[in-house]
Amino acid sequence: MAEILENLNGRRVIKISTDDIISIVREYQNTVCGMTSYAEIRNALDNKDLYIPEDF
């Protein structure tokens, strides 16, 4: 699970698990599979939201 951590300056950092990283990479690979150009990949990712769980 992802965990949002706040530092002393009020900035937030997201700590994510290995499983979350693998899930994001898998979703990315499924999204861009078969695409050949940078512009095509960029357009597909601009139109897609990637989510990670948030745990407090």
Side-chain angles (χ1 to χ4, degrees):
M1 273 241 131
E3 182 179 355
I4 296 179
L5 308 171
E6 291 198 35
N7 67 15
L8 298 176
N9 299 324
R11 295 209 46 171
R12 293 165 74 165
V13 177
I14 300 175
K15 178 182 175 184
I16 59 176
S17 69
T18 302
D19 288 338
D20 292 333
I21 293 170
I22 291 169
S23 177
I24 292 168
V25 170
R26 185 177 298 129
E27 190 170 348
Y28 167 83
Q29 290 173 332
N30 289 336
T31 301
V32 302
C33 181
M35 297 181 187
T36 57
S37 72
Y38 173 81
E40 187 179 13
I41 292 170
R42 181 67 188 206
N43 186 43
L45 293 175
D46 280 345
N47 295 325
K48 181 167 183 63
D49 295 323
L50 299 175
Y51 296 97
I52 58 172
E54 184 175 35
D55 185 20
F56 288 102

